[in-house]
Amino acid sequence: MRKIARVFFVGAGFSAPLRYPLGAGLPGELISRLHNTGKPSRKNYLQRDMQGVEDCNDLLRDLNDYLKQFFNIPNGVKRAREGHRIDVDLADFYSVAHALAETPDLFMSDTKSRAAGRMIALYSRIAAATRTYFGDISASFDDLPPDLESIIRMLRTDRDAVVDFNWDEEIDIAMCERGKDFDVTYTRGAWLGRYDFLLLKPHGSINWYDVSQGVYNEGLYFISESDPRIPLDQRRLVAYYDVEHPLQIDRKTEHGPLDCPPVITPPTFSKRFNYVEQRCVWQDVVEVCAQAGEFVFLGYRIPRDDYLTRAAMRAALTRNPNEKIRVLVVDLPNGETGVSQSLVDSFRGIFGPAFDPLRNVLPHEFGKGDRGFGDALGRKLKEAYLPGWSGRRG
């Protein structure tokens, strides 16, 4: 049976040079995009036609009420449009909207009112707007920066797994462009029977949809295709071979930019994984971490809201039989030491006090390196042992 030897974890820092907003800036960026204040050279599908403009204005009005009522930020939409910072935590921004969608009477007793109804629909419209915004960024981008490309070139189909916590599809596309014989599988069950890259996306993707939404496009496929763990009648999540906006099943009408939200799981305190495919992906994250001897973190700091990630990794490491493991974190340099104490504390919370910023961290700003960066990363990884590790058989 094929076995994973190395796991790459990918976070927002990896995608930042591709013009995707970091988490803290996403609410403000999204509001600006809804106002059509992006750079003129970028396509803006949200504002494509009059209906799109009307829908965006409608959502902006609700966002303004949302920010005022639940975050005490009056005129929040106007402030974001004018370039001012919106002081709202990303997890809070998505979490409260998520809670309102699932339990509308949690904060509002009159759930039949017009205002309550609009708040119930707010979360799905934010998700659809995020999908559309990210799709526009992808459409405006051509090639990966050299250092990111060098990392993609490192990946091997027979021994590497990538755990991507981002929603974008840049890694998916880059893997497929390695050559005509390369493809991507999204579950380990499918990967075991195919010679493709294993890409696990625990938080979903802007290109994943519930088949019950009535979506249609050429090249539609189930993300769990060929996975024997998931019966045909339980497969729900579908995707497209290209980054596309979904069509309705009648093949005649295109879903609007704020319709048909994708299956993405924001960094909320009430994460939900309602599909069997998502639960299998999380099981696969544990399984590959329990096998691997090398762990590489690319622009991913294990944010405080990713408590499930910490739990999954700790559970996996108690089963990991390797006598030695290597851990390398690639992240932005910070100050004179090059590494922030908060980053060190975060990783020591998983790998223990042996995690050393000099040995286990490679300071680097993604998008600023050359094609030789992958080789430099490989050399640093060889030295990134955790001393004292002797396996943690449970």
Side-chain angles (χ1 to χ4, degrees), residues 256-312:
L258 299 183
D259 297 329
C260 196
V263 178
I264 59 175
T265 303
T268 69
F269 53 63
S270 54
K271 289 183 174 70
R272 297 289 185 271
F273 302 104
N274 298 321
Y275 301 95
V276 63
E277 294 95 333
Q278 291 179 296
R279 294 192 289 274
C280 284
V281 167
W282 276 101
Q283 293 165 9
D284 293 341
V285 170
V286 174
E287 193 59 38
V288 298
C289 289
Q291 295 178 3
E294 298 179 349
F295 300 87
V296 182
F297 296 83
L298 304 172
Y300 179 63
R301 302 181 179 183
I302 317 180
R304 63 182 178 85
D305 304 293
D306 283 357
Y307 55 88
L308 288 181
T309 305
R310 285 189 288 274

Side-chain angles (χ1 to χ4, degrees), residues 176-183:
C176 292
E177 290 179 347
R178 278 276 300 269
K180 64 179 181 179
D181 296 326
F182 289 101
D183 205 346

Side-chain angles (χ1 to χ4, degrees), residues 176-316:
C176 292
E177 290 179 347
R178 278 276 300 269
K180 64 179 181 179
D181 296 326
F182 289 101
D183 205 346
V184 172
T185 53
Y186 291 106
T187 68
R188 180 173 171 271
W191 175 79
L192 288 172
R194 298 167 58 179
Y195 292 93
D196 297 330
F197 289 112
L198 176 58
L199 178 59
L200 303 175
K201 304 187 79 167
H203 290 168
S205 172
I206 60 166
N207 201 26
W208 290 6
Y209 299 92
D210 185 341
V211 70
S212 68
Q213 291 172 302
V215 295
Y216 170 83
N217 281 67
E218 293 291 344
L220 191 73
Y221 65 95
F222 287 97
I223 69 163
S224 59
E225 188 175 324
S226 304
D227 191 327
R229 297 173 299 176
I230 306 176
L232 286 173
D233 61 349
Q234 293 184 27
R235 295 178 184 175
R236 294 277 299 277
L237 297 189
V238 294
Y240 308 130
Y241 286 106
D242 296 311
V243 179
E244 303 176 56
H245 295 284
L247 305 178
Q248 293 184 7
I249 195 68
D250 59 13
R251 308 186 184 189
K252 298 178 182 178
T253 307
E254 193 171 42
H255 281 286
L258 299 183
D259 297 329
C260 196
V263 178
I264 59 175
T265 303
T268 69
F269 53 63
S270 54
K271 289 183 174 70
R272 297 289 185 271
F273 302 104
N274 298 321
Y275 301 95
V276 63
E277 294 95 333
Q278 291 179 296
R279 294 192 289 274
C280 284
V281 167
W282 276 101
Q283 293 165 9
D284 293 341
V285 170
V286 174
E287 193 59 38
V288 298
C289 289
Q291 295 178 3
E294 298 179 349
F295 300 87
V296 182
F297 296 83
L298 304 172
Y300 179 63
R301 302 181 179 183
I302 317 180
R304 63 182 178 85
D305 304 293
D306 283 357
Y307 55 88
L308 288 181
T309 305
R310 285 189 288 274
M313 293 195 66
R314 288 170 183 146

